[in-house]
Amino acid sequence: MKALWDNEYLYVYGEVKDAELDNTSTQAHEVDSLEVFIDENNAKADSYQDDDKQYRISYENAQSFNGPKCTADNVISAARITEDGYV
């Protein structure tokens, strides 16, 4: 994974090696996906706070979120299957 940022965005790129991609679960966190967690106030708390966000992008580019301020309006994503996984 690689991450960059500017004054407007956080950019994340990941290469996932996985020979058996799976999206059969009804639970988003159990589907093959890339997850990004953000702790805006850097509190490193033991549990989620209002500023914490969890973005999940599946290998099929399905988005899911966790956190009170974590919404689809905050993310632009793309995904592509490769010979040995996905990006």
Side-chain angles (χ1 to χ4, degrees):
M1 293 193 52
K2 298 176 183 184
L4 299 168
W5 63 91
D6 60 24
N7 290 336
E8 299 293 322
Y9 298 100
L10 169 66
Y11 305 89
V12 177
Y13 175 80
E15 293 181 9
V16 179
K17 307 294 185 196
D18 189 342
E20 296 182 35
L21 300 177
D22 183 10
N23 68 353
T24 57
S25 178
T26 58
Q27 300 296 316
H29 68 279
E30 294 177 349
V31 172
D32 284 332
S33 58
L34 181 136
E35 292 179 285
V36 176
F37 294 82
I38 299 173
D39 180 4
E40 288 185 356
N41 68 5
N42 198 28
K44 299 175 183 71
D46 291 335
S47 60
Y48 281 110
Q49 295 179 324
D50 285 344
D51 71 300
D52 297 335
K53 297 173 176 66
Q54 177 185 12
Y55 296 98
R56 189 180 303 105
I57 311 298
S58 80
Y59 68 93
E60 294 180 319
N61 200 36
Q63 301 175 352
S64 56
F65 314 97
N66 188 19
K69 297 179 183 174
C70 190
T71 67
D73 294 337
N74 296 336
V75 66
I76 301 169
S77 66
R80 179 176 51 87
I81 297 173
T82 63
E83 290 182 13
D84 56 354
Y86 59 100
V87 295

